[in-house]
Amino acid sequence: MTFVITQRCCKDASCIAECPVDCIRPTPGDPQFETAEMLYIDPESCIDCGACADACPVDAIFSEYDLLAPMNRYIAINEAYFERNPLDENSGAQAPRPKGKGFGDRGVLRVAIVGTGPAACYAAEELLARGDVQIEMFDRVHAPWGLVRAGVAPDHPETKGVADMFTKLFAPDALEFYLNVEVGRDISLTELREHHHAVIYATGAASDRRLGIPGEDLPGSHAATEFVAWYNGHPDHADRHFDLSGERAVVVGNGNVALDVARILTLDPDELAKTDIADHALEALRESNIREVVVLGRRGPVQAAYSTSEFLALGYLPGVDVVIDETELALDPVSQTILESPDVEASLHLKMELAREYAAATPNGAHKRIVFRYLTSPTELRGDGAVESLALVHNELDGDLRAHPTTVTDVLATSLVLRSVGYRGEPVADLPFDSERGVIDNVHGRVAGVEGVYTAGWIKRGPRGVIGTNRGDSRETVAMLIEDFEAGRLTAPGAGRRALATLVSERQPDVIGKARWREIDAAERSAGRPVGRPRVKFTRFDQVRSQWPADAL
């Protein structure tokens, strides 16, 4: 018997450190780790101890005998990885990081972290493991966890479980929250430096990339990132309106976020009512007329940006058909060459196999539909005062996999277009910014030319990777920070925790500390319990403010 890693894998790599026989790949530091869709367990080496399953923060690892029908295919997926990548006993997990050593005569290291998403939390975890630290984490909204709370789709509750891991890790007094506090408005970078040895910016990539075509700003055209934030209850988007009156929506882009959007638009609202979806979104989706979501990809099925696991999961959605015209799967010479390469990963073959299975299936006329179209790009959004249709063009790929428009194909009638072509970082006040890459200018996490300031996550490296990818990224940043601290290159703070708390509470009386967040978290969970939901979110700060006084700290 073996244990199997499944769709939910976040590449956190917690499992790797716990495996007593070192049979999980790829590992951080392996060239394949960045590009691999997930981690895999070698069935020939697994000793069935279950240590990896206990360590997994998102419940993605199961005994092969406990797999439900939708996940049985992952047995073969794990096997296939090692058929192409035989286990090399000399390429195992990284050496464990030093823990609890402290810093000797250097004393306590004080660090401010701007952001509370995955990159910020992994940085805090890494610092706490060293001991002799005090950490303050800042977020401008009233709840922590960043994209774990406001980006992960509500029908993927296990993935959100990583927040529970952080909650346990952050229990000690060494770490404090300053929620509902905006750095740059309520407190400046200069003031953070006066109270800390170092500051880490882990602010993510808050904006989206645009299509750059006529009609993109018509009502009915939105960024998918806004739609995701809306249905997840992010306070910046709780009051948004999306026109769900038509029967067709179009999603431009075919990454995992696009698939999230397509699922939410087609799932039975009664299924969504079991999740932590925002109440306003659930109400709107109950009234939705959308029956079909068309997902457009500018390149072919071989280059589709979605992961194989998310594509596979679509086939098990109740009451939803995945529709692909067989002509969409005719491979161009470039794609055929990729598939015939001896080095191509098995997941790519499976991606094509799944597409052919969907194409061969007979749709049920009573079901909603998710329709995939490849080698297709929008050229114009049309409508009189609002989106009414979308003009499309067919693409061809060159040898460098760049898509080139050729002939106009057709026009799709639609009243809702969601562009899902990538996130983008925004400039941060007082810090150098690489506008071409959309990141803070940095070298291995050290912000260029600014002493004592560091960066981690998407605002450091660009918007790529999954939740767990941030662990290695944050570990690199923290290593730079600790190296500088131990070498005496960081200026000691002139004031400590108590002075910081006083300053923040004077600037922002509605600050929310860790103790108050525990109460808010408990209240959300309590509200969800009677109706069978994991939580009912407070989506606006005024909802929080009405229940708790301002003395949050």
Side-chain angles (χ1 to χ4, degrees), residues 8-44:
R8 303 166 186 164
C9 177
C10 71
K11 291 174 64 178
D12 170 276
S14 296
C15 55
I16 294 175
E18 299 301 321
C19 178
V21 293
D22 189 25
C23 69
I24 303 175
R25 294 292 187 276
T27 61
D30 185 320
Q32 292 189 19
F33 184 80
E34 284 293 324
T35 57
E37 292 186 346
M38 53 183 280
L39 304 182
Y40 306 88
I41 293 174
D42 179 23
E44 297 299 321

Side-chain angles (χ1 to χ4, degrees), residues 133-445:
V133 296
Q134 290 180 348
I135 303 168
E136 278 85 36
M137 300 183 74
F138 293 79
D139 205 308
R140 65 183 185 84
V141 299
H142 67 265
W145 317 134
L147 283 181
V148 175
R149 178 179 170 99
V152 174
D155 62 332
H156 282 11
E158 296 85 0
T159 304
K160 294 174 183 279
V162 71
D164 294 330
M165 178 186 75
F166 293 138
T167 297
K168 294 175 183 176
L169 286 170
F170 297 169
D173 292 338
L175 184 143
E176 181 56 270
F177 279 154
Y178 285 83
L179 306 177
N180 200 39
V181 176
E182 184 172 346
V183 174
R185 182 195 66 188
D186 302 317
I187 188 169
S188 68
L189 171 59
T190 298
E191 289 167 329
L192 287 181
R193 291 288 290 112
E194 291 171 353
H195 292 81
H196 301 87
H197 291 91
V199 180
I200 300 175
Y201 277 83
T203 52
S207 64
D208 66 285
R209 298 184 182 276
R210 293 176 59 82
L211 300 173
I213 61 175
E216 186 171 9
D217 293 319
L218 280 171
S221 169
H222 308 272
T225 56
E226 297 171 351
F227 188 70
V228 169
W230 171 75
Y231 65 61
N232 272 317
H234 191 287
D236 288 352
H237 299 275
D239 295 324
R240 295 297 302 271
H241 170 75
F242 296 89
D243 184 1
L244 307 180
S245 63
E247 293 193 356
R248 175 187 289 138
V250 178
V251 183
V252 182
N254 61 9
N256 284 347
V257 172
L259 268 56
D260 286 346
V261 168
R263 287 199 321 276
I264 297 302
L265 285 170
T266 53
L267 267 174
D268 186 334
D270 287 341
E271 292 295 320
L272 290 172
K274 303 171 186 176
T275 74
D276 69 351
I277 190 170
D279 285 348
H280 59 255
L282 181 61
E283 182 180 348
L285 289 164
R286 286 195 184 280
E287 301 299 320
S288 171
N289 291 325
I290 291 175
R291 301 284 304 168
E292 176 180 282
V293 178
V294 180
V295 179
L296 304 179
R298 64 188 176 91
R299 294 186 292 182
V302 171
Q303 300 84 25
Y306 49 72
S307 66
T308 304
S309 57
E310 292 294 333
F311 193 44
L312 169 62
L314 292 181
Y316 295 95
L317 294 180
V320 179
D321 287 328
V322 179
V323 178
I324 302 176
D325 191 301
E326 288 186 357
T327 61
E328 296 275 348
L329 303 181
L331 296 180
D332 58 277
V334 175
S335 298
Q336 191 64 51
T337 300
I338 291 172
L339 283 179
E340 292 173 355
S341 168
D343 298 325
V344 68
E345 286 298 335
S347 62
L348 198 54
H349 283 286
L350 178 58
K351 188 179 287 187
M352 282 303 302
E353 182 182 334
L354 290 169
R356 294 187 179 107
E357 290 176 9
Y358 290 140
T362 301
N364 183 327
H367 287 179
K368 294 181 181 178
R369 297 154 45 105
I370 299 175
V371 180
F372 284 85
R373 296 187 60 171
Y374 303 99
L375 291 168
T376 302
S377 296
T379 58
E380 182 183 10
L381 278 67
R382 302 172 180 173
D384 183 12
V387 172
E388 296 174 0
S389 63
L390 183 69
L392 304 177
V393 65
H394 178 75
N395 298 323
E396 289 184 355
L397 296 182
D398 64 20
D400 294 322
L401 301 181
R402 289 189 294 258
H404 299 279
T406 56
T407 56
V408 174
T409 54
D410 58 6
V411 176
L412 283 179
T414 181
S415 57
L416 178 63
V417 175
L418 299 169
R419 61 181 182 274
S420 183
V421 292
Y423 289 79
R424 180 173 175 79
E426 295 181 334
V428 176
D430 303 319
L431 297 182
F433 190 73
D434 184 336
S435 57
E436 183 175 340
R437 297 175 56 215
V439 299
I440 294 173
D441 193 8
N442 74 95
V443 180
H444 302 302

